[in-house]
Amino acid sequence: MAGAFTISITIWNHTSVTLTTYNATATAGTYPTPVGMNPPASGGTLAINLPPGGSLTVFVSNAGVGGSSGTINLSDAEESTFFSIQYAPLPNKSLVIQSMDLRVVPSSAFPSCVGFSDEKFYLGTAMAANISLYAGVPVPEWNSSGHEYVAGYAAPLAANPYSANNARDVVNSLFQTDIRKPDGVQHWFNQGSTVPYRPADYTGNQLMPSSTSQSLVQVMLDLWPTGLNPSYTSNPDWPLIFFLANFMVPPGSTPLPPLVMYVPTITYQNTIAAGPRYLLTGYQAYPLAGTNGARFNMASVQTFLQLFLGGAHFVNIQTNPDFATLNPENPPANTGRSLYGAFTKHFPASPTGGRQSCIGNSHYTSTVNLGGWYYGSQIGNWASAGCGLLLAALFGQTANGPYNTFLQLEGWPADVSLKTGSLGGGERHAQDYAAYKNSLWNISTFGATPYSEKRATTIFLAPLPWVPKICSSTYMMPYVGAQTPQSWLQTDLVSVPPGTPSQPYP
């Protein structure tokens, strides 16, 4: 095919400084020139004015079939902020489809990262890319010897992450480096007698509340009914958080009882080839309803959000057999309700919002569980403009027939990859699943936790009088979906104290 390819790259400044200096090199194709300017005569610098929130479009022409490659450098007047942007062609199977690798090369002196507003895959002969520049947040990881290193740089959460596509850029930044490597979780294996275990943090310490920066947990607390930030009410995450809050602690005079969260008490034993081993000794209760007129126990709500964002596996107890377990001779009334039913009723199945089908997950089966739904409409391997932070919240059934509901924030939806046709969800879902198998710590978009049904550390959401106890047959409290020892349960990674009864209730 004859003809030239062209590239335009729009660069958005999401730092707090004005970028004033521009220089570039081209190793293939023409000099990358800012629109409205002339290239320097001898490869020198150009004076620009790119303020915070502003944009600059760079154009490359006569790229040819082979594509273009080069480097664009931007800095402020004091050179306290510096970005080195590289672009290069990727291998293609067609002369009419070009793809481009576009990245920022960070350094310890100038931690930086990027957020993309579209995929690095473009059709036709004119490619248009968008790239957002941030002063990145270093993400520490630890290798197998316990040595700390910087695995990558996350985009910082803005004061309002739902403006200027900050939520999109934060999510995308967490998948562009080695942040999600399997060995990074090992540092978090042993947390002593802490309940709950703190999630491994992929965000550069932006997951948990602190006094120095915005946090993901605080963003979700601002969406909670009692702490609602008015500027957040139209964002994509608010309907899900509002739904969960109302389900767990129903509003007004409804007769439905509030739920209690039960977190396993675990103690690290050692690490074997399959991952870390824990001793399960019981459950700590976190009432989600408040006292003295308060609707919510906000300390428990914060703990729930911390665990949810970290990837913990929750099961909502809702079936008659589960309540019969408490007293088979005289079962108490079932005070539960179906989280799965409420979710599917509240959010319509829609490719543009509401919920979308999960093509298959590995929970409660040795093959494939087809009964799951994701909140929202994320499709493909890149978060898109206008998205929220919660792109992979999965609701599913624990069994056929009577079932409980499981809830888990995964790292990325397991949808059909638009590029490869993969039923495994494409690159992002696949890399998280590989890291998960290395430790059996559940991996979310933002971190990882040891709370997984496959290591008998399910977290329960249940109304009274249902209270979980450990047993020696199923280790964790038996429930519909795991009433008896299961083939998928990793019994080599869990133990209970000697003398633990075989059943939780006599």
Side-chain angles (χ1 to χ4, degrees), residues 176-422:
Q176 294 179 40
T177 66
D178 291 332
I179 288 172
R180 313 176 77 81
K181 289 178 64 175
D183 62 3
V185 179
Q186 296 182 17
H187 173 77
W188 306 86
F189 281 176
N190 185 2
Q191 299 184 32
S193 58
T194 302
V195 183
Y197 266 39
R198 177 172 176 156
D201 191 342
Y202 294 156
T203 69
N205 297 317
Q206 298 183 96
L207 178 58
M208 306 282 287
S210 72
S211 60
T212 57
S213 64
Q214 173 74 295
S215 76
L216 288 154
V217 168
Q218 186 58 55
V219 169
M220 298 305 148
L221 285 171
D222 288 343
L223 300 178
W224 208 260
T226 55
L228 188 63
N229 184 326
S231 65
Y232 288 2
T233 55
S234 62
N235 79 77
D237 294 329
W238 176 76
L240 177 60
I241 294 299
F242 202 70
F243 164 78
L244 290 173
N246 289 336
F247 182 87
M248 293 190 291
V249 182
S253 58
T254 174
L256 297 174
L259 302 184
V260 178
M261 178 174 66
Y262 295 96
V263 180
T265 300
I266 58 176
T267 305
Y268 174 79
Q269 302 294 286
N270 56 21
T271 299
I272 60 176
R277 299 176 64 250
Y278 294 95
L279 175 69
L280 174 62
T281 56
Y283 296 90
Q284 181 165 318
Y286 290 84
L288 294 166
T291 57
N292 298 323
R295 181 180 169 192
F296 296 100
N297 181 325
M298 292 309 297
S300 295
V301 168
Q302 178 170 317
T303 300
F304 164 76
L305 291 171
Q306 165 189 327
L307 292 164
F308 174 61
L309 292 172
H313 184 86
F314 298 88
V315 166
N316 177 69
I317 298 300
Q318 60 195 54
T319 72
N320 290 331
D322 285 299
F323 285 84
T325 300
L326 306 179
N327 186 345
E329 299 298 325
N330 187 22
N334 181 350
T335 54
R337 63 267 191 189
S338 173
L339 177 58
Y340 185 89
F343 173 75
T344 54
K345 181 179 179 180
H346 190 81
F347 295 102
S350 169
T352 59
R355 58 184 164 96
Q356 63 166 321
S357 177
C358 172
I359 62 167
N361 65 79
S362 61
H363 299 285
Y364 299 96
T365 178
S366 298
T367 54
V368 179
N369 183 336
L370 300 175
W373 290 91
Y374 286 111
Y375 170 75
S377 57
Q378 173 60 45
I379 295 291
N381 262 337
W382 289 87
S384 57
C387 73
L389 293 159
L390 306 178
L391 303 182
L394 176 62
F395 293 74
Q397 300 174 337
T398 64
N400 295 322
Y403 62 85
N404 292 303
T405 302
F406 72 83
L407 165 65
Q408 182 175 316
L409 181 65
E410 297 192 327
W412 201 253
D415 57 29
V416 178
S417 170
L418 298 181
K419 288 185 184 179
T420 66
S422 167

Side-chain angles (χ1 to χ4, degrees), residues 37 82 101 113 405 490 505:
M37 303 183 72
F82 176 84
D101 182 46
C113 73
T405 302
Q490 298 286 321
Y505 288 90

